[in-house]
Amino acid sequence: MKDIQIIKDVFISDLYCVYLQDISAVVISDLHLGFEEEMNLHGLFLPRLQRNHVEKMVDQIIDRYSPSKIIINGDFKQEFSRNLPQEWDDVNHFIDRYKKDTELIFIKGNHDNYLMTILKSNGLEIYDYYETDNYYIYHGDRDMSFRKLTILGHEHPSVVLRDEIGSVFKIPAFVYNNEQKILITPAMSFFSSGTDVSESLLNNEHFTPVLKNVSKKFRAYGITEDFGLLDFGYVTDLTQKL
């Protein structure tokens, strides 16, 4: 499936976004533009694939949903301590490509300490959170509580499958807690392998502080190339199956 409606007006998508139909907005997170240059500085030389991957995905999102707003929910860029030259290029390229047709809303993630410098040069702001009558959206690296439908990034959730000979397959996933109305989005980054939700969410090994205060009723929806979105059921049941 390309989309799954989890509650009224809210659709998760195989394009790594949440579509909020009533406000004509999509939410994406954890793009980590500039990842390759930071890895190069540490001696790991990677081809520059991230920007093309992200923009191809966003192009498809716009074609499918025609959103009036794109909400980037944190970790738009990679480097914590400064703005690398590739980050200047990639961020400016993204803004120039999409600002004419959509409103770009940036929410600060833990990797975005110096993003404001680049945004200001484009006449844009960055926010700690974004809130409407029905939605409360923030990155998730800090505990800012939850209310309404809370949409988080930061966790990079994935479903991990293992076969009989020990091979491991990681599938990027949305995770939804219906009891507390918390939705966690997968990382859009090409290079993110994701965090095993059966380990992180059930054993409190996650990176998202607010999740310590919620129930374990997490449902996982994986994104696959061949079948689109797949409902893997509750994470507690998934661990028993594996």
Side-chain angles (χ1 to χ4, degrees):
M1 287 184 285
K2 293 182 178 180
D3 313 280
I4 294 176
Q5 184 174 1
I6 57 168
I7 59 173
K8 185 177 183 292
D9 292 320
V10 178
F11 299 81
I12 56 175
S13 169
D14 65 346
L15 297 177
Y16 291 74
C17 72
V18 182
Y19 174 49
L20 306 175
Q21 187 175 49
D22 54 330
I23 62 170
S24 184
V26 293
V27 182
I28 57 178
S29 71
D30 300 284
L31 286 66
H32 293 278
L33 295 177
F35 180 85
E36 302 95 330
E37 185 172 2
E38 190 201 21
M39 293 299 101
N40 292 349
L41 294 175
H42 295 287
L44 179 61
F45 297 97
L46 299 173
R48 292 195 173 185
L49 303 173
Q50 190 91 297
R51 186 175 84 185
N52 288 341
H53 166 78
V54 164
E55 292 186 349
K56 180 180 178 181
M57 193 77 66
V58 174
D59 286 346
Q60 293 178 74
I61 288 170
I62 290 173
D63 286 344
R64 186 185 297 180
Y65 301 110
S66 301
S68 60
K69 301 180 185 69
I70 297 176
I71 302 168
I72 300 101
N73 191 18
D75 288 0
F76 186 50
K77 71 180 204 69
Q78 171 63 22
E79 172 58 41
F80 291 92
S81 60
R82 53 179 165 157
N83 292 322
L84 298 173
Q86 184 189 346
E87 292 178 329
W88 275 95
D89 291 343
D90 287 355
V91 170
N92 282 324
H93 191 274
F94 184 99
I95 291 170
D96 288 342
R97 186 176 183 123
Y98 299 114
K99 67 180 181 181
K100 295 178 183 177
D101 299 319
T102 59
E103 179 185 358
L104 300 176
I105 299 170
F106 292 90
I107 299 171
K108 187 177 180 181
N110 52 305
H111 284 257
D112 297 323
N113 294 329
Y114 292 86
L115 177 59
M116 188 64 225
T117 305
I118 308 177
L119 296 183
K120 273 190 174 180
S121 69
N122 289 277
L124 296 169
E125 296 289 334
I126 192 166
Y127 305 96
D128 288 332
Y129 64 91
Y130 181 79
E131 188 167 10
T132 69
D133 290 342
N134 296 319
Y135 310 116
Y136 177 48
I137 304 167
Y138 71 96
H139 184 59
D141 54 306
R142 294 171 289 163
D143 186 345
M144 296 170 60
S145 190
F146 55 90
R147 53 183 178 266
K148 307 173 184 179
L149 174 67
T150 299
I151 302 175
L152 307 172
H154 188 56
E155 192 67 27
H156 297 205
S158 67
V159 173
V160 175
L161 304 177
R162 297 171 176 85
D163 66 17
E164 294 178 352
I165 62 172
S167 299
V168 177
F169 305 90
K170 279 192 172 183
I171 301 172
F174 293 88
V175 178
Y176 181 54
N177 186 313
N178 186 56
E179 291 185 357
Q180 271 83 34
K181 298 293 187 292
I182 295 175
L183 175 62
I184 309 170
T185 58
M188 187 174 275
S189 167
F190 176 83
F191 295 102
S192 173
S193 60
T195 302
D196 181 356
V197 294
S198 65
E199 294 290 335
S200 61
L201 297 183
L202 299 185
N203 299 326
N204 281 331
E205 296 177 358
H206 48 72
F207 309 114
T208 309
V210 73
L211 298 182
K212 293 179 181 178
N213 303 315
V214 304
S215 76
K216 304 299 183 183
K217 280 289 191 177
F218 299 103
R219 196 173 190 100
Y221 301 86
I223 303 173
T224 67
E225 287 188 16
D226 294 330
F227 304 107
L229 283 172
L230 290 179
D231 183 352
F232 281 91
Y234 287 104
V235 175
T236 49
D237 297 334
L238 183 62
T239 57
Q240 295 171 10
K241 294 173 187 175
L242 297 178

